[in-house]
Amino acid sequence: MNLPRFLIVPLTVALAACGASQSDSPFKELEGASQNAVAAAPPVGATATASTPAAAAPAATAAAACPAQGFDDFLKAYAGDAQTKTRFTLPTVKVVDLVDVGEDTQQRTEQVPGKDYTGFNLAYRDDGFHVVDSAGAVDPKPVAVEVKAEAAEAYFVRYQYGMSEGNSYRFVRRDGCWFLAEDPEPSAP
């Protein structure tokens, strides 16, 4: 049986996982072949493991792909590009909201999947940050954005829009870049 070398290691591992012994292996004729040469690169579609060099890749990739190391520049990039927003939002965003309870309102905290989170409504243009409404229209007038550094490599971002509207966000540093982690204050009703 002549199989390409890159198939030998994955098939041998698969046989071992099924309980087959080396003597059951259809690759007896290739037993003397060096598996190190093949194991250096995992097969296409394989998940990286601790024994492969790719295990450190996610952190290095996030740091290398980070649009900016300084937070102010990062926030501009985040607000200026939909793909950057998707890529640098944590898998779960902590959202604080107001809910009606009888004649009163109270705060409720929920965990929203990052892919479903739509609460970041700032866009960045050359002249500053702009509020984006629920229909996707960008206000032509820029809005002031307050940015405060917090402990443990986090930033709190807040803006006020008009007399009563606005929102806030918390970004944290992970894997060499910044990620949207929270919508920590309820939006004005």
Side-chain angles (χ1 to χ4, degrees), residues 35-53:
Q35 292 184 358
N36 291 338
V38 176
V44 174
T47 303
T49 64
S51 64
T52 63

Side-chain angles (χ1 to χ4, degrees), residues 44-105:
V44 174
T47 303
T49 64
S51 64
T52 63
T61 302
C66 189
Q69 289 303 308
F71 184 74
D72 289 339
D73 290 335
F74 170 81
L75 185 60
K76 291 174 184 175
Y78 186 89
D81 180 61
Q83 288 180 342
T84 301
K85 285 180 199 170
T86 300
R87 191 170 190 183
F88 294 100
T89 297
L90 288 181
T92 303
V93 177
K94 179 181 172 183
V95 177
V96 177
D97 230 343
L98 291 176
V99 292
D100 290 328
V101 180
E103 294 181 17
D104 202 12
T105 59

Side-chain angles (χ1 to χ4, degrees), residues 17-38:
C18 294
S21 70
Q22 281 288 83
S23 62
D24 297 333
S25 171
F27 308 112
K28 289 180 197 174
E29 66 206 48
L30 301 172
E31 283 178 354
S34 170
Q35 292 184 358
N36 291 338
V38 176

Side-chain angles (χ1 to χ4, degrees), residues 147-160:
V147 177
K148 288 185 180 179
E150 296 181 325
E153 293 195 289
Y155 279 90
F156 179 78
V157 176
R158 176 189 290 143
Y159 74 92
Q160 184 170 340

